Amino acid sequence: MSGKFEISKAKNGKFMFHLKAGNGEVILNSQMYETRASALQGVDSVKANAAQDERYVRATSSDGKPYFNLKAANGQIIGSSEMYSSAAAMENGIASVKKSAPGASTTDLS
C-alpha cells in the first residue's frame, strides 16, 4: 500500500494535511493553511521536495526527543514529524516520507 495525503479542515476553519505511510501511520503534518487550494499547493511542495535529503532539518525538542521538519527550496517549513524515541527512529521516519510522498494519492476529507 502506498502513501496518502489527507486534507482536513480544522475547527478554526483552516486547512491542513497529513501524510500517511502505507501502513496508515501519520509520518508528516502540515502547518495550517487559509484555503484548501493553499493546502493542495503544500501537498505538491512536499511531493517535489521529499526526495531531497538537504530539505530535511533534523532537530531535538526541549525534552530531548528527535524530530524533523521538511523545508521547501525557499526555506519555508512545509511539514513536521512527530517526536521520536531515538535518532534512528527519526531517520526511519525521513526514509518513509522519501518513499511515500512522491507517488502518494490525495484524499480531501474537508
Side-chain angles (χ1 to χ4, degrees), residues 50-64:
Q52 301 175 54
D53 193 64
E54 66 273 11
R55 299 281 194 251
Y56 293 88
V57 177
R58 292 148 173 94
T60 304
S61 68
S62 58
D63 63 354

Side-chain angles (χ1 to χ4, degrees), residues 8 20 31 40 42-43 49 60 71 79 84 98 105 109:
S8 58
K20 291 187 171 183
Q31 64 182 19
L40 286 168
V43 167
N49 289 285
T60 304
K71 291 190 173 187
Y84 290 97
K98 287 179 178 180
S105 62
L109 304 175

Side-chain angles (χ1 to χ4, degrees), residues 68-100:
F68 64 86
N69 291 314
L70 176 60
K71 291 190 173 187
N74 65 3
Q76 181 179 356
I77 295 173
I78 50 178
S80 299
S81 73
E82 65 179 352
M83 299 296 161
Y84 290 97
S85 59
S86 68
M90 177 191 64
E91 292 299 331
N92 287 340
I94 290 171
S96 185
V97 172
K98 287 179 178 180
K99 178 182 175 185
S100 300

